[in-house]
């Protein structure tokens, strides 16, 4: 069963400021402090969410929290940004209403994080699918890219958005995201050239220098040292908690996900590097003949590197920094720039280059994330824009003026939409609408944006006016036209009451905004509004070969020269704000007001004065008063009856009729005055929060009574259950005890019976034992008597023959004992055939038997040893035996071969893939495969050959290629000749007249000569169809080489090449083999 909850349950302070009693600024701030101290950072004002920046991570954004707020009523759970995001998403999906979420607040209040949380919640609750997930990922990953290029570290915020962002997220009819469109407003481009003390330039500069690879920096002609760039402030280059290198990798990955090509990313980084290089260009004065100073570039190295990055001729850009061309109708005039003007031109170029790059990035992201389908989409807009800015030191300039103008417009539309929403709900619920008194800031907006007498119009008029135009002339114009305006103050105006106001400097003017008075310093208003970039620099940028420059500076095209002055910054911003306001008025608004609790950017600190200041300029008190002007609280009949039904006996525990009737009965029974509430079509409207809190107090008391009743009933049920359990347990225990007692009684009787039985059996057994022992003694006595009697009889008979046979019997007994001892001594002999030990002969008469026994025993143990042989091992020993018969005492090489086993296949021809072709050429099983040297008759040197022996032939093949050089059938082999020395030479002599004899005999050498010849001889011996191969062992023999016979002679002597035998040709008829001496 789902547990019903409410905003009013377990409330810390007041969750909805509309219900705050009493309502004043102090109670408002105290309620925020109370909730902030208990980690409740969200509070409602009706449907508006107030968000306090906690400056730390809180466990309230988990996937479980997302599911908790999913598809829940806005007031059903405690205040949370997820509740507003869910309400907006469900209204868009189910009611087909376009939504917008307006996030405002000053720098450091958490606007950017709030927009991320809204987008992440929508991404989590909308549909799933490969294409949908891709769109969601692209929308989410656009944030890191825009933050890198548009955010910076300020005194108030380490990740302050220095631009306004409005994103339209487009959905299909199912509520799945299709794409989005981003609009940016008023990038603070002056930060590119100059940053206040303690602040940084835009993040991307530091991220690029910290996170890019050495190769990338070398291509961009950059160095990691921040101090080498004039545009980067050094006092706050490194920020605690910001990892610029990791952020750069995140930005690169995000650009890839959004859809940037690698070439586009490289082009963007080149422009960022160009801005840094541009800041290092310095100028020096150079006097001319006419007496005017002309600017010249001091060190042209940075200028050269920047021109190489952008693809501009160095001379073109250098001239643009020294001269300015002024065109009027058909005339052109070139004037020189002094050093101050050159620096102004340089900074103007840097600001325009960076701001246009930022605008191009937004356009490029829009191309990637825009919805592809042409059908109408549902739209949810998220506006993350700078809040009202008031610098305490009075250093408010053109940027703050523009920002505060935007906030005036947002406040105006906020009041209008809030009142419209209230009025629509009253009409929808058939409640009488009464006009609400509130401050209308339209008069302030008109002061700023009026096309005739507005401050922006006068600023544009002053910028376009010929002649000398300064900030003071602009202020004079304001003093003349706006002097009588009730929200405009200036010390030099005609209004005499400000003449003695020393808090108002002469070069400043003050505007009474809805959030309070703001003092603006007029210095820089004209220049910042002009935002002038010399045409020579635009044309120079257009000539660049860089892929983006012509898109960024289209006005530099010489074929499309436009002499019309470009629109001013104020005019452009006013137009974009107007478009934004029209867009917001077509959507259902949702508001998030962000507040920062302290200026130290640390957790657990709540500064009352700072929060009070933000509450004032956000107009939160005005918002509460508007919501409370009619009925402070409204709730559907079902929820109201479900929550308060226990206050009336007629509605408790269940009301059977219509819910509205049940609420009427409930309020009548509770004696609530009729003027304190009104009945709508589907909701009950309560005018005063005290009425609601009275109902809550009565509900709390009733819940305590109900809890007591439930506890009483529960305790009675628990006691009865416990008694019945005890009763049941007593019956079970008694039954088990009786069983236990009977078992014990039975065991005692059983054990007593067993004891009696054992005693009786023992008595019977002892009687039987005594009887048996008596009978045994009788038998032993009879046997003893009989033995003695027989002994006596035998001795009598033995005495008769003892003298005649005593000597022979003693001799036989002695011999028997000697032989027995002799044979027992032979048992120590081992069973090894190699053991030649044998016990010594103990007596001379055993000489013949001793020798014969030794021979018989040796033969017997040899037979036993041979019986253990396998067929393979037996064959090896037979080969060894045959080698012994052939070579023993005939060949000096033989003794060293005895201990070496005959392996046969030394080349592993079956396994080695190198000899696969050779293995296929030999059809029979290979008995022996070895590497031999074939001796050349011409020089006596050997050539390596593969020697393969089968049962029918032997083969010689090339070592490298495996190609068969010769294959000779064994029947064609007549004899084999070897020497008596320790060499490995042997000659295979072929039968005369055979098919193989035409090539002549083979003179070979091998390390396994004994094994080769033994196997040849053994094959000839076992074959029945051929003659036995003769083995000729001699130190001199003849070898037939084709037509000639050559004598091979073996001599002992030290060869020059080491310890192996060496063959040398002496003449045409003699080969001499030198064998090392043993």
């Amino acid at each position: 069963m789902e547990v019903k909850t409410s905003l009013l349950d377990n409330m810390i302070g007041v969750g909805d400021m509309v219900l705050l009693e009493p309502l004043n600024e102090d109670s408002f701030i105290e309620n925020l402090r109370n909730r902030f101290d208990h980690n409740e950072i969200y509070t409602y004002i009706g449907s508006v969410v107030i968000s306090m920046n906690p400056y730390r991570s809180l466990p309230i954004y988990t996937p479980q929290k997302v599911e908790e707020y999913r598809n829940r009523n806005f007031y059903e759970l405690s205040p949370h940004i997820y509740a507003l995001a869910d309400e907006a998403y469900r209204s868009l999906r189910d009611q087909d209403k376009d939504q917008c979420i307006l996030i405002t607040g000053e720098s450091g209040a958490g606007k950017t994080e709030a927009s991320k949380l809204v987008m992440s919640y929508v991404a989590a609750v909308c549909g799933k699918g490969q294409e949908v997930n891709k769109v969601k990922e692209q929308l989410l990953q656009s944030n890191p890219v825009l933050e890198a290029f548009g955010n910076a570290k300020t005194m108030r915020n380490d990740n302050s958005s220095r631009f306004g962002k409005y994103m339209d997220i487009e959905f299909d009819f199912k509520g799945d995201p299709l794409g989005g469109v981003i609009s940016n407003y008023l990038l603070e481009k002056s930060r590119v050239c100059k940053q206040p003390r303690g602040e940084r330039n835009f993040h991307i500069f530091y991220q690029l220098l910290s996170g890019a690879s050495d190769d990338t920096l070398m291509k961009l002609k950059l160095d990691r040292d921040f101090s080498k760039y004039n545009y980067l402030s050094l006092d706050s280059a490194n920020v605690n908690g910001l990892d610029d290198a990791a952020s750069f990798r995140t930005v690169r990955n995000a650009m890839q996900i959004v859809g940037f090509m690698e070439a586009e990313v490289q082009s963007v980084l080149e422009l960022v590097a160009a801005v840094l290089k541009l800041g290092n260009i310095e100028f020096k004065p150079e006097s001319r003949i006419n007496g005017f100073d002309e600017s010249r570039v001091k060190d042209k190295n940075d200028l050269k590197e920047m021109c190489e990055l952008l693809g501009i001729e160095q001379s073109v850009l250098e001239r643009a920094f020294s001269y300015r061309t002024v065109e009027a109708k058909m005339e052109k005039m070139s004037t020189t720039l002094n050093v101050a003007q050159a620096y102004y031109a340089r900074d103007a170029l840097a600001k325009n280059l960076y701001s246009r790059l930022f605008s191009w990035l937004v356009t490029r992201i829009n191309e990637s994330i825009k919805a592809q389908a042409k059908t109408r989409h549902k739209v949810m807009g998220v506006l993350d824009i700078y809040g009202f800015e008031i610098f305490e030191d009075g250093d408010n300039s053109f940027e703050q003026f523009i920002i505060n103008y935007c906030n005036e417009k947002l406040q105006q539309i906020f009041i209008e939409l809030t009142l419209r929403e209230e009025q629509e709900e009253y009409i929808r619920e058939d409640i009488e609408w009464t006009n609400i008194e509130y401050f209308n800031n339209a008069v302030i907006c008109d002061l700023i944006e009026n096309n005739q007498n507005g401050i922006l119009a006068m600023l544009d008029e002053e910028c376009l006016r010929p002649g000398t135009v300064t900030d003071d002339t602009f202020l004079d114009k304001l003093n003349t036209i706006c002097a009588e305006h009730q929200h405009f103050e200036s010390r030099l105006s005609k209004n005499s009451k400000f003449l003695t106001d020393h808090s108002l400097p002469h070069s400043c003017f003050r505007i009474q905004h809805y959030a309070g008075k703001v003092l603006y310093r007029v210095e820089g208003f004209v220049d910042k509004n002009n935002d002038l970039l010399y045409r020579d620099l635009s044309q120079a940028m257009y000539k660049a070969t860089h892929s983006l420059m012509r898109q960024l500076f289209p006005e530099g095209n010489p074929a499309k020269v436009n002499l019309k002055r470009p629109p001013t910054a104020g005019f452009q911003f006013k137009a974009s704000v107007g478009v934004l306001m029209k867009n917001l008025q077509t959507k259902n608004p949702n508001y998030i007001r962000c507040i920062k609790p302290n200026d130290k950017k640390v957790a657990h600190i709540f500064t009352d004065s700072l929060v009070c200041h933000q509450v004032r300029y956000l107009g939160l008190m005005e918002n509460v008063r508007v919501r409370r002007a009619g009925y402070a609280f409204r709730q559907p009949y079902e929820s109201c009856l479900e929550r308060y039904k226990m206050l009336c006996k007629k509605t408790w525990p269940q009301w059977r009729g219509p819910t509205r009737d049940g609420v009427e009965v409930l309020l009548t029974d509770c004696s609530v005055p009729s003027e304190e509430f009104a009945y709508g079509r589907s909701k009950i409207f309560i005018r005063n929060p005290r009425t609601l809190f009275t109902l809550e107090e009565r509900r709390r008391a009733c819940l305590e009574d109900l809890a007591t009743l439930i506890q009483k009933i529960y305790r009675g049920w628990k006691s009865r259950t416990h008694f019945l359990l005890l009763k049941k347990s007593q019956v079970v225990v008694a039954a088990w005890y009786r069983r236990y007692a009977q078992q014990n009684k039975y065991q005692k009787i059983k054990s007593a019976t067993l004891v009696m039985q054992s005693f009786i059996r023992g008595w019977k057994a002892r009687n039987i034992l005594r009887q048996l022992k008596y009978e045994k003694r009788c038998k032993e006595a009879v046997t003893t008597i009989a033995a003695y009697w027989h002994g006596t009889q035998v001795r009598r008979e033995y005495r008769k023959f003892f003298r005649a046979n005593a000597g022979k019997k003693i001799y036989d007994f002695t011999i028997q004992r000697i032989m027995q001892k002799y044979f027992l001594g032979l048992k120590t002999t081992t069973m090894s055939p190699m053991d030649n030990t044998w016990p010594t002969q103990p007596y001379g008469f055993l000489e013949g038997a001793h020798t014969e026994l030794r021979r018989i025993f040796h033969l017997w143990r040899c037979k036993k040893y041979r019986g253990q042989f396998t067929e393979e091992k037996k064959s090896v020993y037979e080969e060894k035996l045959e080698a012994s018969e052939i070579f023993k005492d005939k060949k000096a090489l033989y003794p060293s071969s005895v201990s070496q086993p005959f392996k046969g296949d030394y080349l592993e021809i079956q396994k080695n893939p190198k000899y696969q072709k050779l293995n296929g050429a030999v059809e029979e099983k290979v008995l022996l495969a070895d590497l031999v040297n074939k001796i050349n008759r011409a020089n006596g040197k050997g050539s390596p050959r593969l020697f393969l022996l089968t049962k029918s032939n032997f083969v010689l093949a090339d070592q490298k290629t495996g190609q068969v050089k010769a294959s000779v059938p064994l029947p064609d082999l007549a004899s084999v000749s070897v020497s008596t020395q320790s060499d490995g030479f042997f000659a295979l002599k072929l039968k005369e007249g055979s098919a193989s004899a035409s090539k002549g005999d083979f003179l070979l050498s091998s390390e396994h000569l004994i094994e080769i010849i033994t196997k040849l001889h053994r094959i000839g011996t076992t074959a029945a169809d051929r003659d036995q191969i003769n083995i000729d062992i001699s130190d001199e023999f003849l070898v037939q080489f084709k037509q000639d016979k050559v004598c091979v002679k073996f001599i002992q002597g030290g060869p020059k090449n080491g310890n192996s035998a060496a063959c040398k040709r002496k003449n045409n008829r003699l080969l001499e083999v030198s064998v090392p001496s043993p």
Side-chain angles (χ1 to χ4, degrees):
M1 179 179 177
E2 183 180 3
V3 179
K4 296 293 183 181
T5 57
S6 170
L7 172 69
L8 300 172
D9 287 332
N10 303 320
M11 188 167 57
I12 297 172
V14 179
D16 191 343
M17 290 293 188
V18 175
L19 305 177
L20 186 63
E21 279 290 330
L23 177 61
N24 53 55
E25 196 172 80
D26 292 337
S27 63
F28 192 98
I29 302 300
E30 182 58 31
N31 188 52
L32 287 179
R33 170 192 281 277
N34 185 21
R35 292 179 62 77
F36 179 78
D37 291 341
H38 290 84
N39 295 327
E40 293 288 341
I41 63 172
Y42 296 112
T43 308
Y44 291 155
I45 302 178
S47 60
V48 178
V49 175
I50 302 174
S51 172
M52 300 286 290
N53 190 344
Y55 288 115
R56 62 193 179 101
S57 298
L58 294 177
I60 58 174
Y61 306 109
T62 60
Q64 291 78 14
K65 278 289 181 183
V66 172
E67 290 301 319
E68 184 179 339
Y69 281 86
R70 187 173 186 175
N71 295 328
R72 303 294 287 268
N73 185 276
F74 186 77
Y75 296 102
E76 192 172 342
L77 299 173
S78 59
H80 201 291
I81 195 172
Y82 285 169
L84 181 137
D86 186 73
E87 184 76 13
Y89 176 71
R90 285 192 293 113
S91 297
L92 175 138
R93 183 191 62 191
D94 302 336
Q95 302 175 21
D96 201 19
K97 291 182 180 179
D98 288 350
Q99 304 290 317
C100 64
I101 299 176
L102 282 68
I103 307 172
T104 57
E106 74 170 45
S107 179
K111 299 187 299 297
T112 303
E113 287 302 315
S115 66
K116 290 181 184 177
L117 290 171
V118 170
M119 294 178 64
S120 63
Y121 179 85
V122 173
V125 300
C126 64
K128 303 292 187 291
Q130 183 176 358
E131 191 62 31
V132 173
N133 289 338
K134 179 183 177 183
V135 172
K136 290 193 291 187
E137 189 68 15
Q138 286 186 332
L139 291 173
L140 293 175
Q141 290 301 322
S142 64
N143 281 323
V145 180
L146 295 179
E147 285 184 17
F149 287 87
N151 288 24
K153 189 265 181 190
T154 65
M155 293 297 293
R156 298 183 175 185
N157 187 3
D158 291 343
N159 187 32
S160 176
S161 298
R162 306 317 299 161
F163 69 104
K165 181 181 74 172
Y166 177 73
M167 173 185 280
D168 268 336
I169 308 173
E170 300 176 337
F171 297 84
D172 62 8
F173 68 96
K174 302 189 301 296
D176 295 340
L178 298 174
V181 178
I182 299 173
S183 302
N184 65 298
Y185 301 95
L186 194 64
L187 176 72
E188 189 189 15
K189 56 186 176 183
S190 60
R191 181 172 292 272
V192 174
C193 304
K194 184 180 179 181
Q195 306 90 41
R197 185 172 183 80
E199 297 189 3
R200 294 204 315 178
N201 210 324
F202 292 103
H203 290 328
I204 187 62
F205 296 111
Y206 304 93
Q207 292 173 358
L208 174 61
L209 297 180
S210 301
S213 64
D214 294 336
D215 184 52
T216 301
L217 291 180
M218 185 167 53
K219 290 180 181 178
L220 299 177
K221 309 181 188 305
L222 295 176
D223 193 281
R224 291 196 190 277
D225 189 1
F226 298 155
S227 63
K228 293 187 178 181
Y229 304 101
N230 297 333
Y231 279 169
L232 301 184
S233 60
L234 299 180
D235 54 342
S236 299
N238 296 312
V239 182
N240 292 332
L242 285 183
D243 187 348
D244 290 321
S247 298
F248 182 74
R249 292 190 291 271
T250 302
V251 171
R252 289 294 299 266
N253 182 57
M255 294 180 79
Q256 183 180 0
I257 292 174
V258 171
F260 282 82
M261 306 299 290
E262 189 62 32
E264 291 177 321
V265 176
Q266 185 64 25
S267 298
V268 170
L269 296 182
E270 287 172 354
L271 293 187
V272 174
V275 172
L276 289 176
K277 290 293 181 182
L278 188 57
N280 288 351
I281 298 175
E282 296 182 347
F283 304 95
K284 60 183 179 180
E286 185 175 296
S287 299
R288 300 186 66 189
I289 300 175
N290 57 9
F292 291 99
D293 286 340
E294 180 181 337
S295 67
R296 284 285 182 266
V297 178
K298 280 185 182 179
D299 184 3
K300 297 185 179 181
N301 184 51
D302 286 308
L303 179 64
K304 177 185 175 184
E305 291 181 345
M306 176 195 166
C307 292
E308 290 176 356
L309 286 170
L310 300 182
I312 307 175
E313 291 186 16
Q314 184 175 339
S315 59
V316 174
L317 190 57
E318 189 174 0
R319 175 176 174 77
F321 283 135
S322 302
Y323 296 92
R324 177 188 177 190
T325 302
V326 180
E327 298 184 23
K329 295 184 179 180
M330 302 302 294
E331 297 182 5
K332 286 186 180 181
M333 183 176 65
S334 181
T335 61
T336 60
L337 300 179
N338 57 31
V339 173
Q341 291 172 328
Y343 277 114
Y344 174 83
R346 180 200 69 176
D347 291 344
L349 177 60
K351 289 187 289 185
N352 275 273
L353 180 59
Y354 190 82
S355 65
R356 297 184 188 199
L357 171 62
F358 185 79
S359 298
W360 179 87
L361 280 171
V362 174
T363 304
R364 179 64 182 83
I365 292 173
N366 285 337
E367 291 177 1
S368 296
I369 66 175
K370 67 180 179 181
Q372 302 299 324
K374 301 298 182 181
T375 57
R376 181 186 177 280
H377 308 135
K378 301 177 183 180
V379 177
M380 177 185 288
V382 179
L383 177 64
D384 173 11
I385 201 163
Y386 15 63
F388 204 89
E389 283 196 358
I390 305 175
F391 292 137
E392 299 298 334
D393 55 1
D395 195 18
N396 300 294
S397 186
F398 179 74
E399 291 85 1
Q400 284 68 45
F401 177 74
I402 291 294
I403 288 171
N404 294 342
Y405 160 63
C406 179
N407 277 272
E408 286 285 358
K409 297 294 288 183
L410 288 174
Q411 177 68 8
Q412 184 181 25
I413 194 173
F414 169 68
I415 296 296
E416 289 178 1
L417 292 178
T418 302
L419 289 175
R420 187 177 72 186
E421 183 183 358
E422 285 284 296
Q423 186 174 8
E424 286 177 355
E425 183 171 18
Y426 277 47
I427 295 172
R428 187 169 56 248
E429 293 294 329
D430 200 14
I431 301 293
E432 182 180 356
W433 171 258
T434 56
N435 289 325
I436 299 173
E437 294 294 331
Y438 66 96
F439 170 68
N440 191 344
N441 67 337
V443 62
I444 304 175
C445 296
D446 185 70
L447 171 65
I448 297 173
E449 67 181 3
N450 187 282
N451 292 330
Q452 300 297 326
N453 299 323
I455 295 177
L456 286 177
M458 285 185 283
L459 180 60
D460 288 348
E461 183 180 332
E462 193 67 13
C463 290
L464 298 174
R465 181 175 62 82
T468 303
V469 177
T470 64
D471 296 320
D472 293 333
T473 61
F474 166 62
L475 183 57
D476 291 339
K477 196 179 188 79
L478 290 181
N479 291 333
T480 302
I481 298 176
C482 302
E484 301 300 327
H485 200 285
Q486 59 180 341
H487 292 278
F488 178 84
E489 302 174 4
S490 173
R491 195 167 183 183
L492 300 179
S493 67
K494 297 178 181 180
N495 195 335
S496 60
K497 68 178 181 179
F498 301 118
L499 294 177
T500 59
D501 187 356
H502 296 286
S503 66
L504 186 59
H506 289 279
S507 61
C508 299
F509 65 92
R510 191 157 52 202
I511 294 180
Q512 177 69 44
H513 288 283
Y514 77 91
K517 292 183 179 182
V518 182
L519 181 68
Y520 295 103
R521 192 176 299 277
V522 78
E523 181 183 351
F525 262 62
V526 173
D527 285 342
K528 292 177 180 177
N529 188 53
N530 269 327
D531 193 21
L532 187 61
L533 179 66
Y534 297 149
R535 184 176 289 112
D536 301 74
L537 289 173
S538 298
Q539 292 176 350
M541 293 296 104
Y542 190 81
K543 292 177 182 178
T545 59
H546 192 275
S547 59
L548 298 181
M549 295 307 291
R550 293 198 174 189
Q551 300 178 50
L552 301 184
F553 295 90
E555 74 276 11
N557 187 354
K560 298 180 181 179
V561 176
N562 186 4
L563 300 181
K564 187 177 179 181
R565 191 181 184 94
T568 61
F571 178 83
Q572 294 179 47
F573 187 74
K574 175 184 172 184
S576 60
V577 168
V579 173
L580 175 63
M581 295 303 124
K582 289 182 180 179
N583 191 357
L584 295 180
Q585 286 178 340
T586 62
K587 295 179 174 61
N588 185 49
N590 302 272
Y591 299 96
I592 301 174
R593 303 298 204 185
C594 298
I595 296 177
K596 67 176 185 178
N598 61 78
D599 275 328
K600 298 179 181 179
K601 297 180 283 189
V602 294
H604 307 296
I605 295 179
F606 188 95
T607 307
D608 289 0
S609 58
L610 177 64
V611 174
C612 181
H613 175 69
Q614 296 173 81
V615 167
R616 287 174 182 170
Y617 75 63
L618 286 173
L620 299 183
M621 291 295 295
E622 189 73 20
N623 188 5
V624 177
R625 292 190 182 99
V626 169
R627 287 302 302 262
R628 289 182 57 160
Y631 293 92
F633 185 77
R634 67 285 317 263
Q635 192 175 28
Y637 290 126
E638 294 82 1
S639 302
C640 181
L641 185 61
E642 182 69 25
R643 185 166 184 82
Y644 301 111
K645 62 183 179 180
M646 70 285 299
L647 302 181
C648 175
K649 293 181 179 179
K650 297 177 182 179
T651 58
W652 178 258
Q654 194 69 38
W655 175 257
R656 300 296 179 184
T659 53
R660 174 169 175 165
D661 295 345
V663 173
E664 290 180 2
V665 171
L666 174 66
L667 294 180
T668 303
D669 190 72
C670 292
S671 301
V672 179
S674 59
E675 65 272 9
E676 287 296 321
F677 61 87
Y679 295 110
R681 294 181 184 274
S682 62
K683 295 180 181 179
I684 179 70
F685 286 74
I686 298 176
R687 185 180 301 279
N688 199 315
R690 289 199 189 100
T691 304
L692 180 66
F693 290 139
T694 302
L695 291 175
E696 282 294 314
E697 286 295 330
R698 296 181 64 176
R699 177 180 181 270
R700 192 175 297 111
C702 189
L703 286 178
E704 291 177 359
D705 294 340
L706 288 174
T708 304
L709 178 62
I710 292 171
Q711 288 176 347
K712 181 181 71 172
I713 295 173
Y714 172 72
R715 290 193 187 104
W717 170 82
K718 189 174 181 181
S719 298
R720 284 194 301 274
T721 304
H722 184 62
F723 169 74
L724 293 175
L725 181 62
L726 288 177
K727 184 177 180 182
K728 183 180 179 181
S729 301
Q730 186 270 334
V731 173
V732 173
V733 170
W736 277 89
Y737 176 75
R738 286 193 294 271
R739 176 188 176 189
Y740 170 75
Q742 291 298 324
Q743 284 179 339
N744 279 351
K745 184 177 179 181
Y746 168 75
Q747 292 294 338
K748 288 180 181 178
I749 295 173
K750 183 179 178 181
S751 58
T753 304
L754 290 175
V755 170
M756 292 176 64
Q757 288 177 345
S758 63
F759 271 101
I760 293 173
R761 290 192 189 100
W763 175 77
K764 287 184 177 181
R766 284 191 294 274
N767 283 344
I768 294 172
L769 179 62
R770 280 194 294 270
Q771 185 66 29
L772 291 174
K773 285 182 177 180
Y774 175 75
E775 292 177 357
K776 182 180 179 182
R777 282 197 299 271
C778 291
K779 289 181 180 179
E780 288 176 352
V782 171
T783 303
T784 302
I785 294 171
Y788 272 99
W789 170 250
H790 288 304
T792 302
Q793 292 294 107
V794 169
R795 283 191 293 275
R796 286 177 182 173
E797 292 296 322
Y798 180 75
R799 288 192 189 101
K800 295 179 181 179
F801 303 100
F802 178 73
R803 292 180 180 176
N805 299 319
K808 185 175 182 303
K809 287 186 178 181
I810 292 172
Y811 175 78
D812 291 339
F813 178 78
T814 303
I815 293 299
Q816 182 181 0
R817 291 297 299 162
I818 289 172
M819 294 301 295
Q820 183 180 7
K821 185 177 180 181
Y822 172 66
F823 285 126
L824 289 173
L826 295 180
K827 290 177 66 177
T828 59
T829 307
T830 63
M831 293 296 291
S832 174
M834 303 299 293
D835 188 6
N836 293 324
T837 59
W838 187 253
T840 56
Q841 178 180 331
Y843 301 101
F845 71 89
L846 294 175
E847 180 178 359
H850 186 73
T851 303
E852 186 64 18
L853 281 173
R854 181 175 183 177
R855 184 184 69 80
I856 294 171
F857 179 75
H858 181 69
L859 293 176
W860 175 76
R861 69 182 176 182
C862 287
K863 182 180 178 183
K864 296 288 286 185
Y865 182 76
R866 288 194 304 273
Q868 300 174 3
F869 289 173
T870 61
E871 290 298 324
E872 183 180 354
K873 195 170 183 181
K874 187 175 182 181
S875 175
V876 171
Y877 277 101
E878 287 176 354
E879 288 182 352
K880 283 288 186 179
L881 184 61
E882 191 164 345
S884 174
E885 293 174 355
I886 298 172
F887 295 107
K888 189 174 181 180
D889 299 331
K890 299 177 184 178
K891 176 75 174 172
L893 184 64
Y894 171 72
S896 63
S897 70
V898 172
S899 61
Q900 299 176 358
F902 289 170
K903 186 176 178 182
D905 188 2
Y906 292 94
L907 302 179
E908 295 183 347
I909 194 168
Q910 297 290 342
K911 300 178 182 178
N912 198 330
K914 181 179 177 182
Y915 304 126
Q916 186 175 1
K917 180 179 178 182
L918 179 61
N919 188 31
V922 179
E923 298 179 355
E924 294 181 290
K925 180 182 178 182
V926 176
L927 301 178
L928 185 140
D930 190 17
L931 182 65
V932 302
N933 284 322
K934 180 177 178 295
I935 306 303
N936 193 344
R937 171 191 177 186
N939 51 18
K941 295 182 179 180
S943 300
R945 291 287 186 269
L946 301 178
F947 182 83
L948 276 66
L949 176 64
T950 65
K951 286 187 177 182
S952 59
N953 55 7
F954 69 86
V955 178
L956 290 175
D958 187 79
Q959 180 192 9
K960 295 181 179 179
T961 63
Q963 182 179 359
V964 177
K965 294 293 185 180
S967 178
V968 179
L970 290 183
D972 292 351
L973 184 63
S975 63
V976 180
S977 296
V978 298
S979 70
T980 62
Q981 307 295 329
S982 60
D983 61 279
F985 285 82
F986 64 97
L988 300 177
K989 299 182 179 181
L990 305 179
K991 293 180 181 179
E992 294 183 1
S994 65
S996 303
S998 60
K999 297 181 181 180
D1001 300 337
F1002 295 96
L1003 181 59
L1004 310 172
S1005 68
S1006 172
E1007 295 179 356
H1008 307 97
L1009 176 142
I1010 301 297
E1011 183 177 357
I1012 292 173
I1013 295 178
T1014 301
K1015 287 185 181 295
L1016 282 171
H1017 185 269
R1018 185 174 178 80
I1019 292 171
T1021 304
T1022 56
D1025 58 341
R1026 66 176 77 102
D1027 297 334
Q1028 185 175 350
I1029 299 173
N1030 295 323
I1031 308 299
D1032 180 21
I1033 303 176
S1034 173
D1035 287 343
E1036 187 172 333
F1037 51 78
L1038 295 176
V1039 179
Q1040 181 76 34
F1041 287 113
K1042 293 187 179 180
Q1043 302 300 324
D1044 300 327
K1045 288 189 177 181
V1046 176
C1047 178
V1048 181
K1049 186 176 181 182
F1050 295 83
I1051 61 173
Q1052 284 190 353
K1056 297 179 180 180
N1057 59 345
N1059 296 325
S1060 60
C1063 181
K1064 187 177 181 182
R1065 177 174 175 267
K1066 288 296 185 178
N1067 52 51
N1068 291 339
R1069 300 291 181 175
L1070 178 62
L1071 287 175
E1072 188 176 272
V1073 180
S1074 300
V1075 183
S1077 300

